[in-house]
mmCIF file of all heavy atoms in Angstrom:
data_model
loop_
_atom_site.group_PDB
_atom_site.id
_atom_site.type_symbol
_atom_site.label_atom_id
_atom_site.label_comp_id
_atom_site.label_asym_id
_atom_site.label_seq_id
_atom_site.Cartn_x
_atom_site.Cartn_y
_atom_site.Cartn_z
ATOM 1 N N ILE B 23 70.068 -16.761 -31.605
ATOM 2 C CA ILE B 23 70.576 -17.792 -30.713
ATOM 3 C C ILE B 23 69.453 -18.745 -30.212
ATOM 4 O O ILE B 23 69.661 -19.840 -29.823
ATOM 5 C CB ILE B 23 71.163 -17.106 -29.524
ATOM 6 C CG1 ILE B 23 71.823 -18.110 -28.545
ATOM 7 C CG2 ILE B 23 70.102 -16.206 -28.737
ATOM 8 C CD1 ILE B 23 72.643 -17.428 -27.407
ATOM 9 N N ASN B 24 68.242 -18.264 -30.400
ATOM 10 C CA ASN B 24 66.927 -19.086 -29.931
ATOM 11 C C ASN B 24 66.478 -20.000 -30.901
ATOM 12 O O ASN B 24 65.510 -20.769 -30.686
ATOM 13 C CB ASN B 24 66.012 -18.187 -29.360
ATOM 14 C CG ASN B 24 66.257 -17.555 -28.014
ATOM 15 O OD1 ASN B 24 67.069 -18.155 -27.294
ATOM 16 N ND2 ASN B 24 65.886 -16.347 -27.823
ATOM 17 N N GLU B 25 66.905 -19.939 -32.129
ATOM 18 C CA GLU B 25 66.443 -20.808 -33.227
ATOM 19 C C GLU B 25 66.759 -22.192 -32.921
ATOM 20 O O GLU B 25 65.850 -23.185 -33.065
ATOM 21 C CB GLU B 25 67.057 -20.315 -34.631
ATOM 22 C CG GLU B 25 66.783 -21.283 -35.713
ATOM 23 C CD GLU B 25 67.717 -22.362 -35.874
ATOM 24 O OE1 GLU B 25 68.922 -22.190 -35.542
ATOM 25 O OE2 GLU B 25 67.315 -23.432 -36.397
ATOM 26 N N GLY B 26 67.949 -22.581 -32.438
ATOM 27 C CA GLY B 26 68.307 -23.948 -31.990
ATOM 28 C C GLY B 26 67.417 -24.418 -30.807
ATOM 29 O O GLY B 26 67.061 -25.577 -30.838
ATOM 30 N N PHE B 27 67.157 -23.517 -29.917
ATOM 31 C CA PHE B 27 66.303 -23.862 -28.777
ATOM 32 C C PHE B 27 64.948 -24.275 -29.264
ATOM 33 O O PHE B 27 64.386 -25.314 -28.831
ATOM 34 C CB PHE B 27 66.269 -22.662 -27.883
ATOM 35 C CG PHE B 27 65.345 -22.910 -26.638
ATOM 36 C CD1 PHE B 27 65.723 -23.844 -25.710
ATOM 37 C CD2 PHE B 27 64.220 -22.229 -26.397
ATOM 38 C CE1 PHE B 27 64.920 -24.097 -24.622
ATOM 39 C CE2 PHE B 27 63.335 -22.441 -25.351
ATOM 40 C CZ PHE B 27 63.720 -23.350 -24.394
ATOM 41 N N ALA B 28 64.406 -23.575 -30.157
ATOM 42 C CA ALA B 28 63.020 -23.941 -30.705
ATOM 43 C C ALA B 28 63.101 -25.212 -31.399
ATOM 44 O O ALA B 28 62.108 -26.095 -31.135
ATOM 45 C CB ALA B 28 62.601 -22.747 -31.756
ATOM 46 N N ARG B 29 64.034 -25.566 -32.088
ATOM 47 C CA ARG B 29 64.175 -26.841 -32.843
ATOM 48 C C ARG B 29 64.228 -27.969 -31.763
ATOM 49 O O ARG B 29 63.553 -28.985 -31.812
ATOM 50 C CB ARG B 29 65.540 -26.917 -33.576
ATOM 51 C CG ARG B 29 65.582 -26.117 -34.696
ATOM 52 C CD ARG B 29 66.973 -26.060 -35.394
ATOM 53 N NE ARG B 29 67.562 -27.283 -35.596
ATOM 54 C CZ ARG B 29 67.690 -27.920 -36.813
ATOM 55 N NH1 ARG B 29 67.121 -27.364 -37.920
ATOM 56 N NH2 ARG B 29 68.301 -29.110 -36.949
ATOM 57 N N VAL B 30 64.882 -27.828 -30.694
ATOM 58 C CA VAL B 30 65.053 -28.834 -29.563
ATOM 59 C C VAL B 30 63.709 -29.049 -28.932
ATOM 60 O O VAL B 30 63.286 -30.152 -28.639
ATOM 61 C CB VAL B 30 66.184 -28.528 -28.601
ATOM 62 C CG1 VAL B 30 66.162 -29.382 -27.371
ATOM 63 C CG2 VAL B 30 67.490 -28.688 -29.252
ATOM 64 N N VAL B 31 63.005 -27.937 -28.562
ATOM 65 C CA VAL B 31 61.735 -28.056 -27.961
ATOM 66 C C VAL B 31 60.670 -28.829 -28.812
ATOM 67 O O VAL B 31 60.130 -29.831 -28.405
ATOM 68 C CB VAL B 31 61.125 -26.598 -27.602
ATOM 69 C CG1 VAL B 31 59.750 -26.651 -27.248
ATOM 70 C CG2 VAL B 31 61.938 -25.977 -26.497
ATOM 71 N N VAL B 32 60.670 -28.511 -30.074
ATOM 72 C CA VAL B 32 59.785 -29.248 -30.893
ATOM 73 C C VAL B 32 60.138 -30.620 -31.212
ATOM 74 O O VAL B 32 59.330 -31.476 -31.173
ATOM 75 C CB VAL B 32 59.741 -28.542 -32.335
ATOM 76 C CG1 VAL B 32 58.913 -29.312 -33.417
ATOM 77 C CG2 VAL B 32 59.060 -27.082 -32.248
ATOM 78 N N SER B 33 61.466 -30.857 -31.248
ATOM 79 C CA SER B 33 62.004 -32.250 -31.322
ATOM 80 C C SER B 33 61.536 -33.093 -30.092
ATOM 81 O O SER B 33 60.967 -34.286 -30.139
ATOM 82 C CB SER B 33 63.416 -32.177 -31.387
ATOM 83 O OG SER B 33 64.042 -33.516 -31.462
ATOM 84 N N ALA B 34 61.695 -32.560 -28.960
ATOM 85 C CA ALA B 34 61.375 -33.182 -27.633
ATOM 86 C C ALA B 34 59.796 -33.371 -27.584
ATOM 87 O O ALA B 34 59.281 -34.474 -27.166
ATOM 88 C CB ALA B 34 61.754 -32.476 -26.475
ATOM 89 N N PHE B 35 59.040 -32.398 -28.129
ATOM 90 C CA PHE B 35 57.601 -32.515 -28.062
ATOM 91 C C PHE B 35 57.074 -33.678 -28.938
ATOM 92 O O PHE B 35 56.154 -34.318 -28.602
ATOM 93 C CB PHE B 35 56.999 -31.164 -28.423
ATOM 94 C CG PHE B 35 55.523 -31.084 -28.540
ATOM 95 C CD1 PHE B 35 54.832 -31.147 -27.418
ATOM 96 C CD2 PHE B 35 54.755 -30.973 -29.702
ATOM 97 C CE1 PHE B 35 53.308 -31.085 -27.273
ATOM 98 C CE2 PHE B 35 53.428 -31.030 -29.769
ATOM 99 C CZ PHE B 35 52.715 -31.012 -28.538
ATOM 100 N N ALA B 36 57.658 -33.793 -30.180
ATOM 101 C CA ALA B 36 57.277 -34.786 -31.080
ATOM 102 C C ALA B 36 57.618 -36.140 -30.697
ATOM 103 O O ALA B 36 57.165 -37.244 -31.197
ATOM 104 C CB ALA B 36 57.810 -34.443 -32.437
ATOM 105 N N ALA B 37 58.699 -36.374 -29.747
ATOM 106 C CA ALA B 37 59.171 -37.668 -29.411
ATOM 107 C C ALA B 37 58.234 -38.742 -29.076
ATOM 108 O O ALA B 37 58.415 -39.805 -29.317
ATOM 109 C CB ALA B 37 60.298 -37.412 -28.250
ATOM 110 N N PRO B 38 57.046 -38.420 -28.303
ATOM 111 C CA PRO B 38 56.106 -39.557 -27.991
ATOM 112 C C PRO B 38 55.509 -40.249 -29.090
ATOM 113 O O PRO B 38 55.068 -41.346 -29.046
ATOM 114 C CB PRO B 38 55.168 -38.786 -27.121
ATOM 115 C CG PRO B 38 55.866 -37.611 -26.604
ATOM 116 C CD PRO B 38 56.873 -37.294 -27.599
ATOM 117 N N LEU B 39 55.615 -39.544 -30.269
ATOM 118 C CA LEU B 39 55.025 -40.211 -31.560
ATOM 119 C C LEU B 39 56.066 -41.184 -32.139
ATOM 120 O O LEU B 39 55.737 -41.887 -33.086
ATOM 121 C CB LEU B 39 54.609 -39.198 -32.602
ATOM 122 C CG LEU B 39 53.503 -38.279 -32.183
ATOM 123 C CD1 LEU B 39 53.209 -37.240 -33.235
ATOM 124 C CD2 LEU B 39 52.236 -39.183 -31.953
ATOM 125 N N ASP B 40 57.215 -41.374 -31.591
ATOM 126 C CA ASP B 40 58.318 -42.167 -31.973
ATOM 127 C C ASP B 40 58.578 -41.880 -33.558
ATOM 128 O O ASP B 40 58.542 -42.821 -34.360
ATOM 129 C CB ASP B 40 57.876 -43.625 -31.888
ATOM 130 C CG ASP B 40 59.109 -44.519 -31.906
ATOM 131 O OD1 ASP B 40 60.187 -44.110 -31.660
ATOM 132 O OD2 ASP B 40 58.893 -45.749 -32.184
ATOM 133 N N PRO B 41 59.047 -40.537 -33.894
ATOM 134 C CA PRO B 41 59.256 -40.402 -35.293
ATOM 135 C C PRO B 41 60.543 -41.006 -35.730
ATOM 136 O O PRO B 41 61.495 -41.189 -34.872
ATOM 137 C CB PRO B 41 59.412 -38.776 -35.207
ATOM 138 C CG PRO B 41 59.849 -38.452 -33.806
ATOM 139 C CD PRO B 41 59.137 -39.553 -32.950
ATOM 140 N N THR B 42 60.659 -41.249 -37.018
ATOM 141 C CA THR B 42 61.860 -41.608 -37.607
ATOM 142 C C THR B 42 62.888 -40.438 -37.557
ATOM 143 O O THR B 42 62.433 -39.393 -37.358
ATOM 144 C CB THR B 42 61.779 -42.073 -38.995
ATOM 145 O OG1 THR B 42 61.367 -41.045 -39.868
ATOM 146 C CG2 THR B 42 60.770 -43.205 -39.161
ATOM 147 N N LEU B 43 64.181 -40.736 -37.732
ATOM 148 C CA LEU B 43 65.120 -39.665 -37.778
ATOM 149 C C LEU B 43 64.782 -38.728 -38.978
ATOM 150 O O LEU B 43 65.057 -37.459 -38.730
ATOM 151 C CB LEU B 43 66.559 -40.194 -37.990
ATOM 152 C CG LEU B 43 67.118 -40.947 -36.685
ATOM 153 C CD1 LEU B 43 68.451 -41.498 -37.007
ATOM 154 C CD2 LEU B 43 67.154 -40.062 -35.514
ATOM 155 N N GLU B 44 64.402 -39.222 -40.017
ATOM 156 C CA GLU B 44 64.010 -38.310 -41.125
ATOM 157 C C GLU B 44 62.803 -37.455 -40.899
ATOM 158 O O GLU B 44 62.875 -36.235 -41.121
ATOM 159 C CB GLU B 44 63.738 -39.200 -42.344
ATOM 160 C CG GLU B 44 63.458 -38.392 -43.660
ATOM 161 C CD GLU B 44 63.255 -39.269 -44.868
ATOM 162 O OE1 GLU B 44 63.379 -40.490 -44.807
ATOM 163 O OE2 GLU B 44 62.744 -38.660 -45.969
ATOM 164 N N GLU B 45 61.844 -38.066 -40.228
ATOM 165 C CA GLU B 45 60.600 -37.266 -39.938
ATOM 166 C C GLU B 45 61.036 -36.262 -38.910
ATOM 167 O O GLU B 45 60.578 -34.952 -38.988
ATOM 168 C CB GLU B 45 59.571 -38.086 -39.256
ATOM 169 C CG GLU B 45 58.916 -39.113 -40.196
ATOM 170 C CD GLU B 45 58.022 -40.159 -39.557
ATOM 171 O OE1 GLU B 45 58.294 -40.478 -38.349
ATOM 172 O OE2 GLU B 45 57.051 -40.547 -40.215
ATOM 173 N N LEU B 46 61.806 -36.492 -37.889
ATOM 174 C CA LEU B 46 62.301 -35.612 -36.974
ATOM 175 C C LEU B 46 63.120 -34.383 -37.534
ATOM 176 O O LEU B 46 63.000 -33.240 -37.316
ATOM 177 C CB LEU B 46 63.167 -36.293 -35.828
ATOM 178 C CG LEU B 46 63.213 -35.525 -34.447
ATOM 179 C CD1 LEU B 46 61.861 -35.071 -33.938
ATOM 180 C CD2 LEU B 46 63.927 -36.327 -33.461
ATOM 181 N N ALA B 47 64.126 -34.850 -38.480
ATOM 182 C CA ALA B 47 64.842 -33.791 -39.178
ATOM 183 C C ALA B 47 64.098 -32.877 -40.045
ATOM 184 O O ALA B 47 64.339 -31.726 -40.075
ATOM 185 C CB ALA B 47 66.009 -34.529 -39.971
ATOM 186 N N ASP B 48 63.073 -33.409 -40.618
ATOM 187 C CA ASP B 48 62.198 -32.596 -41.514
ATOM 188 C C ASP B 48 61.390 -31.557 -40.642
ATOM 189 O O ASP B 48 61.337 -30.411 -41.029
ATOM 190 C CB ASP B 48 61.163 -33.514 -42.211
ATOM 191 C CG ASP B 48 61.701 -34.393 -43.288
ATOM 192 O OD1 ASP B 48 62.764 -34.283 -43.747
ATOM 193 O OD2 ASP B 48 60.892 -35.208 -43.811
ATOM 194 N N LEU B 49 61.001 -31.894 -39.549
ATOM 195 C CA LEU B 49 60.119 -31.142 -38.570
ATOM 196 C C LEU B 49 61.002 -30.055 -38.101
ATOM 197 O O LEU B 49 60.683 -28.791 -38.076
ATOM 198 C CB LEU B 49 59.456 -31.936 -37.517
ATOM 199 C CG LEU B 49 58.539 -31.152 -36.589
ATOM 200 C CD1 LEU B 49 57.460 -30.464 -37.340
ATOM 201 C CD2 LEU B 49 58.086 -32.171 -35.535
ATOM 202 N N LYS B 50 62.272 -30.427 -37.595
ATOM 203 C CA LYS B 50 63.189 -29.388 -37.108
ATOM 204 C C LYS B 50 63.603 -28.431 -38.144
ATOM 205 O O LYS B 50 63.668 -27.193 -37.838
ATOM 206 C CB LYS B 50 64.343 -30.189 -36.522
ATOM 207 C CG LYS B 50 64.056 -30.939 -35.244
ATOM 208 C CD LYS B 50 65.077 -31.939 -34.683
ATOM 209 C CE LYS B 50 66.535 -31.519 -34.664
ATOM 210 N NZ LYS B 50 67.500 -32.407 -34.214
ATOM 211 N N THR B 51 63.932 -28.933 -39.295
ATOM 212 C CA THR B 51 64.222 -28.008 -40.411
ATOM 213 C C THR B 51 63.264 -26.994 -40.697
ATOM 214 O O THR B 51 63.477 -25.812 -40.903
ATOM 215 C CB THR B 51 64.687 -28.690 -41.704
ATOM 216 O OG1 THR B 51 65.732 -29.666 -41.288
ATOM 217 C CG2 THR B 51 65.065 -27.931 -42.740
ATOM 218 N N ALA B 52 61.967 -27.491 -40.852
ATOM 219 C CA ALA B 52 60.821 -26.625 -41.102
ATOM 220 C C ALA B 52 60.686 -25.561 -39.989
ATOM 221 O O ALA B 52 60.467 -24.361 -40.300
ATOM 222 C CB ALA B 52 59.654 -27.323 -41.248
ATOM 223 N N VAL B 53 60.680 -25.947 -38.754
ATOM 224 C CA VAL B 53 60.606 -24.918 -37.652
ATOM 225 C C VAL B 53 61.681 -23.962 -37.631
ATOM 226 O O VAL B 53 61.561 -22.790 -37.463
ATOM 227 C CB VAL B 53 60.620 -25.776 -36.342
ATOM 228 C CG1 VAL B 53 60.649 -24.789 -35.104
ATOM 229 C CG2 VAL B 53 59.192 -26.547 -36.165
ATOM 230 N N SER B 54 62.953 -24.429 -37.840
ATOM 231 C CA SER B 54 64.141 -23.664 -37.992
ATOM 232 C C SER B 54 63.923 -22.447 -39.102
ATOM 233 O O SER B 54 64.163 -21.340 -38.805
ATOM 234 C CB SER B 54 65.419 -24.393 -38.351
ATOM 235 O OG SER B 54 66.480 -23.599 -38.512
ATOM 236 N N GLU B 55 63.261 -22.805 -40.283
ATOM 237 C CA GLU B 55 63.109 -21.966 -41.294
ATOM 238 C C GLU B 55 62.053 -20.950 -40.888
ATOM 239 O O GLU B 55 62.187 -19.641 -41.094
ATOM 240 C CB GLU B 55 62.663 -22.588 -42.501
ATOM 241 C CG GLU B 55 63.792 -23.225 -43.238
ATOM 242 C CD GLU B 55 64.928 -22.406 -43.766
ATOM 243 O OE1 GLU B 55 64.613 -21.266 -44.100
ATOM 244 O OE2 GLU B 55 65.996 -22.899 -43.780
ATOM 245 N N ALA B 56 61.015 -21.309 -40.128
ATOM 246 C CA ALA B 56 59.911 -20.492 -39.767
ATOM 247 C C ALA B 56 60.468 -19.403 -38.658
ATOM 248 O O ALA B 56 60.119 -18.219 -38.805
ATOM 249 C CB ALA B 56 58.703 -21.223 -39.172
ATOM 250 N N VAL B 57 61.070 -19.912 -37.802
ATOM 251 C CA VAL B 57 61.647 -18.965 -36.726
ATOM 252 C C VAL B 57 62.706 -18.085 -37.398
ATOM 253 O O VAL B 57 62.667 -16.869 -36.996
ATOM 254 C CB VAL B 57 62.431 -19.830 -35.598
ATOM 255 C CG1 VAL B 57 63.137 -18.896 -34.562
ATOM 256 C CG2 VAL B 57 61.287 -20.783 -34.846
#
């Protein structure tokens, strides 16, 4: 249940770098796999 939460936290954390949707999706997917 917390895997999705980790994805959202990392996504919000990366937001100030103004990532593209693809960059954000890549990061969220990698974090999801690690968790």
Side-chain angles (χ1 to χ4, degrees):
I23 188 173
N24 287 328
E25 177 268 331
F27 179 67
R29 289 169 54 102
V30 170
V31 168
V32 169
S33 177
F35 180 71
L39 293 177
D40 198 22
T42 64
L43 290 177
E44 183 178 351
E45 289 169 333
L46 201 52
D48 289 353
L49 185 60
K50 288 167 44 177
T51 300
V53 167
S54 177
E55 289 295 330
V57 170

